[in-house]
């Protein structure tokens, strides 16, 4: 009888991509995907612990599948990802969630298949968390799930220890993948017809630092941008302290590099940036933005911001607010600071009350909404490149480099997917209406 898997993914693109690896391993064992958790023989929770809300969601969802295990004692429930790797969490799953059979961390995800087989053979629960990272494992089955976009890891881990952040504790130190391995993978993906290749790392700008031979991110980008084929390279995330002029120049001049730059600023106050251990100033950040605006055609800049970090006064917050207005971001991901166990900021005095965090994040997000509305208006009349992805009888559906959706009258015949220049004619809700030129 056909066996089914169901994977629930939380958190960032890194996790989305790792779920593709989990799916690959499950498929190599003969499982196929089900969209209905009730039909699954294996349920995997690929977890995130970046904020408390993420963890509460995970715990609630894992608690809720207890009834499925009761109905089907052969059901295998596995938990992996950042939350499993967090101090004390595996023990919590063991004690409080006895219906969970397999718990593994971030460093041994590539061995999930072995643990699953081991559990099936012995029926002994597997709680296996490695305390530190090992060498990068290149040899993992993968089942890609995001249409025309393919995710590619270029590095793992983070060395930055921003004082609020749990990631360095659950993802280990920075390890870059060999450039030759990345290029081989990207070439293969282009040959398979993927149009967007998105390079993933917690801080892509420090790619290659660990090789200590001068290899850097600008080099990698340039090599990839010179490959043959019809594709665009995207990447995330950039840390402002490591974004070099060389990288900005590559983005500005290489046609196959996406012009989307996600540059998390976190705060517009130097006092707060220092407390966050971000290692740049607002002035430096603004100089990067100026360089981008001066040199990159059709740039799209987005950011992450944390409000309510300890010691953040109304004045600090307004500095952030004013920076958002000044930079005129195409997108703002605003978060309320959430204390994470074991981080430096958790121990800081002057924690900001929840209602103030709420008010600040709402104020910031409504500003961002206004900015985006205005930017959409200004797109009317512009000619931009879009990836035309799907069609129906009357329209083509496309996405711009920045991810905005575009609807185009079907005046020509195209073989999809394909890149095409389109002229924006109007806006309808949050969709852009365009025509071919
Ligand atoms: N490596 C990336 C992304 C890290 S996580 C980077 O450095 O930009 C994504 C975002 O979550 C961060 O940019 C930050 O804005 C937010 N974040 C991280 N820890 C947080 C915390 N403890 N509370 C609230 N937001 C947090
Ligand atoms: Fe977290 Fe900072 Fe590393 Fe990003 S750079 S993952 S925010 S510690
Ligand atoms: Fe990503 Fe969450 Fe881990 S944001 S790196 S899945 S803690």
């Amino acid at each position: 009888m056909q066996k089914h898997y169901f994977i629930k993914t939380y958190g960032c693109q890194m996790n989305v991509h790792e779920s593709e690896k989990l799916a690959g391993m499950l498929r190599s064992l003969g499982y196929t995907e089900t969209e209905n958790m009730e039909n699954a023989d294996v349920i995997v929770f690929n977890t995130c612990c970046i904020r408390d809300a993420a963890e509460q969601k995970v715990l609630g969802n894992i608690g809720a599948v207890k009834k499925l295990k009761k109905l089907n004692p052969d059901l295998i429930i596995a938990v992996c990802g950042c939350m499993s790797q967090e101090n004390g969490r595996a023990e919590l799953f063991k004690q409080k969630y006895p219906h969970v059979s397999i718990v593994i961390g971030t460093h041994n995800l590539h061995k999930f298949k072995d643990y699953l087989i081991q559990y099936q053979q012995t029926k002994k629960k597997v709680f296996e968390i490695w305390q530190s990272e090992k060498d990068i494992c290149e040899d993992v089955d993968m089942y890609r799930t995001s249409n025309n976009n393919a995710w590619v890891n270029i590095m793992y881990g983070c060395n930055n220890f921003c004082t609020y952040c749990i990631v360095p504790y659950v993802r280990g130190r920075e390890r870059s993948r060999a450039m030759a391995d990345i290029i081989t993978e990207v070439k293969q993906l282009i040959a398979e017809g993927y149009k967007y290749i998105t390079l993933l790392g917690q801080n892509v700008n420090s790619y290659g630092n660990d090789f200590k031979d001068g290899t850097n991110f600008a080099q990698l980008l340039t090599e990839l941008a010179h490959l043959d084929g019809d594709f665009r390279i995207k990447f995330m995330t950039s840390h402002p302290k490591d974004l070099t002029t060389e990288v900005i120049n590559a983005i500005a001049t290489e046609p196959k590099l996406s012009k989307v730059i996600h540059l998390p600023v976190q705060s517009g106050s130097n006092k707060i940036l220092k407390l966050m251990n971000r290692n740049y100033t607002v002035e430096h950040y603004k100089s990067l933005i100026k360089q981008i605006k001066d040199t990159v055609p059709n740039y799209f800049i987005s950011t992450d911001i944390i409000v309510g970090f300890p010691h953040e006064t109304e004045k600090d917050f307004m500095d952030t607010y004013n920076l958002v207005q000044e930079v005129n971001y195409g997108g703002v991901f605003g978060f309320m600071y959430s204390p994470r166990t074991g981080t430096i900021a958790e121990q800081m005095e002057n924690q900001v009350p929840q209602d103030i965090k709420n008010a600040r994040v709402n104020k910031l997000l409504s500003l961002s909404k206004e900015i985006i509305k205005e930017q959409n208006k200004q797109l009317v009349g512009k000619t931009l490149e879009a990836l035309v992805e799907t069609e129906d009888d009357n329209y083509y559906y496309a996405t711009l480099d920045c991810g905005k959706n575009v609807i185009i009258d079907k005046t020509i015949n195209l073989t999809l997917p394909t890149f095409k220049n389109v002229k924006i004619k109007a806006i309808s809700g949050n969709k852009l209406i365009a025509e071919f030129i």
Side-chain angles (χ1 to χ4, degrees), residues 50 157-168 174 202-203 237 239 241 264 266 276-278 304 306:
I50 198 81
C158 180
N159 289 356
N160 291 317
F161 289 94
C162 302
T163 55
Y164 50 79
C165 188
I166 191 98
V167 171
E174 281 177 5
Q202 295 299 344
N203 174 15
T237 298
H239 194 305
K241 80 176 163 63
Q266 311 300 355
M276 287 176 161
N277 189 33
R278 289 289 288 177
D304 291 350
I306 297 178

Side-chain angles (χ1 to χ4, degrees), residues 80 101 182 193 279 283 298 318-319 327 343 379 404 408 422:
C80 61
S101 305
I182 298 171
N279 281 302
E283 292 70 30
N298 295 321
M318 283 314 291
D319 287 345
V327 176
T343 60
L379 283 178
K404 289 187 205 264
I408 314 159
V422 299

Side-chain angles (χ1 to χ4, degrees), residues 51-238:
R51 284 170 287 274
D52 187 54
E55 294 205 276
Q56 293 312 323
K57 205 159 31 162
V58 170
L59 291 176
N61 292 169
I62 298 176
V65 293
K66 194 172 179 175
K67 59 176 194 300
L68 295 181
K69 178 80 178 176
K70 262 204 187 122
L71 290 172
N72 171 16
D74 289 334
L75 171 64
I76 301 173
I77 299 168
V79 184
C80 61
C82 291
M83 192 172 167
S84 313
Q85 188 71 40
E86 205 186 343
N87 226 346
R89 288 302 187 196
E91 199 51 39
L92 172 89
F93 293 135
K94 201 183 241 175
Q95 303 300 339
K96 295 231 169 112
Y97 299 84
H99 54 293
V100 172
S101 305
I102 300 174
V103 179
I104 63 172
T106 56
H107 302 312
N108 54 351
L109 179 118
H110 60 282
K111 290 183 71 75
F112 173 70
K113 184 171 161 178
D114 299 344
Y115 297 132
L116 184 61
I117 295 170
Q118 184 188 322
Y119 177 77
Q120 284 167 328
Q121 287 171 351
T122 64
K123 291 285 175 289
K124 273 207 186 106
K125 288 188 185 181
V126 180
F127 286 84
E128 190 77 35
I129 311 291
W130 291 359
Q131 282 320 311
S132 65
E133 61 277 359
K134 301 251 169 33
D135 287 344
I136 292 172
C137 174
E138 282 295 336
D139 185 22
V140 185
D141 298 311
M142 220 179 282
Y143 178 67
R144 296 186 184 270
T145 51
S146 47
N147 298 324
N148 293 316
N149 175 66
W151 309 105
V152 173
N153 288 116
I154 63 164
M155 58 188 302
Y156 300 88
C158 180
N159 289 356
N160 291 317
F161 289 94
C162 302
T163 55
Y164 50 79
C165 188
I166 191 98
V167 171
Y169 301 91
V170 294
R171 291 271 174 180
R173 296 295 67 73
E174 281 177 5
R175 287 143 285 150
S176 301
R177 271 181 82 193
M179 201 178 305
D181 290 332
I182 298 171
I183 291 173
T184 305
E185 185 178 354
V186 172
K187 273 187 179 162
Q188 173 70 29
L189 292 166
I190 297 167
E192 286 172 26
Y194 286 97
K195 295 294 173 187
Y196 288 126
I197 312 286
T198 306
L199 311 179
L200 293 177
Q202 295 299 344
N203 174 15
V204 289
N205 295 291
S206 59
Y207 172 76
N209 285 358
D210 46 331
F211 296 149
K212 299 191 169 49
D213 63 355
T215 304
N216 65 33
F217 186 51
Q219 248 170 27
L220 174 68
L221 278 180
T222 311
E223 293 262 342
L224 293 175
H226 290 173
L227 294 177
D228 289 333
D230 193 24
F231 65 92
R232 300 293 175 267
I233 300 283
K234 298 190 164 198
F235 51 89
M236 62 201 331
T237 298
S238 289

